Amino acid sequence: MRLKISHSTKYAYDEPVQYALQRLRLTPHNQPGQTVLEWDISVEGANLEVGYDDHFGNRVNLVSVNSERSAIQITASGEVETTDKAGVYGPHLGYAPLWLYLRETPLTKKTKPIRNLAKSMSGDGDLARMHALMAEIHEKIEYMPGETGTETTAEQALERGRGVCQDHAHVMISAARTLGLPARYISGYLMMPDHPDQTATHAWAEVHLGGLGWVGFDAANKMCPDDRYVRVASGLDYQDAAPVSGLVHGVANETLKVAITVEEQGQSQSQS
């Protein structure tokens, strides 16, 4: 499948800011299941300073503001060709050792509710248990935007029973690690034919299983990623893979607007 993606992030400030530094993880790589045909990042109101690959293999760009600005707009766009691998990414690659993905973070602490959820899973082997876990998380956490934030932990999302894809991924990651399985957070895009216009990127979990390597589990949609998914960044949790993060010096109030379109080339082009 050939997917066309446009991702715009606009920061507006009620007073001009003197200095801001933003970290962008908005560049997909060629990797199993996807080939990047073209990709571009443009910035208005700031300077694109430097790019590098971090220890998770994510392409990172730094953007700075060094003079009075009232708005910054960042646009990432391009085309990616994908193939359906039934969620199987394959062997572990990269600088970070596999054991690192067993480490808990503040967002993925292995608390008692998470441990109880993980230990209640049954199935013939780890793959079956992870499918059961994905289905159970989907049932326990209703998809409901606005109920949680980027600081919400896996335990809090599980207890509230409401959240978004980030929360489903954090619970899946924490529970898998409880069972001794390396797990990581993936940020990226999902093409939804009925909803090409979106207000946020997508997120899911990958778990490393013997004989298969990394396998994706999207608990928010109760399915393994197929050719509608594009991987962009990975890490131990949201903090390592956030599309845009950074800091602003000053007292200005900030307004954030995100606009994303993901559509299959050759399909309807009605999105704005």
Side-chain angles (χ1 to χ4, degrees):
M1 186 178 292
R2 186 165 174 167
L3 300 177
K4 182 178 180 180
I5 299 165
S6 176
H7 180 178
S8 171
T9 305
K10 185 173 183 179
Y11 293 92
Y13 307 100
D14 60 357
E15 296 182 15
V17 299
Q18 291 289 338
Y19 180 77
L21 184 65
Q22 301 285 0
R23 181 190 296 115
L24 316 182
R25 299 185 188 87
L26 293 168
T27 305
H29 282 297
N30 292 336
Q31 53 194 272
Q34 69 182 42
T35 300
V36 181
L37 302 176
E38 61 177 83
W39 198 260
D40 179 67
I41 294 177
S42 62
V43 179
E44 298 179 24
N47 302 312
L48 195 56
E49 298 288 357
V50 66
Y52 62 93
D53 292 339
D54 69 13
H55 57 294
F56 293 114
N58 305 319
R59 186 62 180 173
V60 180
N61 293 106
L62 296 182
V63 169
S64 71
V65 171
N66 292 300
S67 60
E68 289 193 349
R69 295 286 183 178
S70 297
I72 303 172
Q73 180 158 344
I74 303 159
T75 302
S77 60
E79 295 182 10
V80 181
E81 190 167 73
T82 59
T83 56
D84 185 359
K85 295 175 64 67
V88 179
Y89 179 84
H92 180 64
L93 303 170
Y95 309 118
L98 196 55
W99 55 259
L100 183 64
Y101 297 93
L102 289 167
R103 194 178 72 181
E104 69 176 20
T105 68
L107 293 174
T108 59
K109 283 188 175 296
K110 305 169 192 172
T111 59
K112 186 175 180 180
I114 296 290
R115 295 197 301 273
N116 289 341
L117 171 66
K119 292 175 181 176
S120 69
M121 293 300 104
S122 60
D124 185 14
D126 290 335
L127 178 61
R129 277 192 287 276
M130 290 302 100
H131 276 284
L133 177 61
M134 174 173 65
E136 187 68 10
I137 294 170
H138 181 80
E139 291 299 317
K140 286 184 174 296
I141 303 178
E142 180 183 2
Y143 183 83
M144 190 172 292
E147 293 290 319
T148 57
T150 57
E151 75 289 347
T152 302
T153 68
E155 180 185 18
Q156 289 169 337
L158 185 60
E159 290 180 340
R160 292 177 188 178
R162 299 182 297 276
V164 293
C165 55
Q166 171 187 309
D167 304 301
H168 294 88
H170 281 156
V171 175
M172 185 87 200
I173 291 166
S174 182
R177 289 174 183 163
T178 295
L179 296 173
L181 299 171
R184 62 187 179 187
Y185 185 98
I186 306 296
S187 69
Y189 301 103
L190 169 60
M191 193 276 287
M192 297 183 289
D194 297 332
H195 301 89
D197 296 324
Q198 305 169 28
T199 57
T201 55
H202 195 50
W204 59 97
E206 286 184 348
V207 181
H208 194 272
L209 302 173
L212 291 173
W214 291 107
V215 180
F217 295 93
D218 179 4
N221 291 299
K222 200 170 74 172
M223 64 177 296
C224 291
D226 56 19
D227 56 356
R228 295 174 301 153
Y229 289 70
V230 173
R231 297 170 86 265
V232 176
S234 66
L236 298 183
D237 62 21
Y238 167 80
Q239 297 292 341
D240 292 330
V244 182
S245 60
L247 58 87
V248 175
H249 276 296
V251 295
N253 293 314
E254 178 182 280
T255 302
L256 173 64
K257 183 178 181 180
V258 177
I260 298 171
T261 59
V262 185
E263 57 189 346
E264 183 180 5
Q265 277 290 55
Q267 300 298 308
S268 171
Q269 303 291 312
S270 62
Q271 298 78 21
S272 58

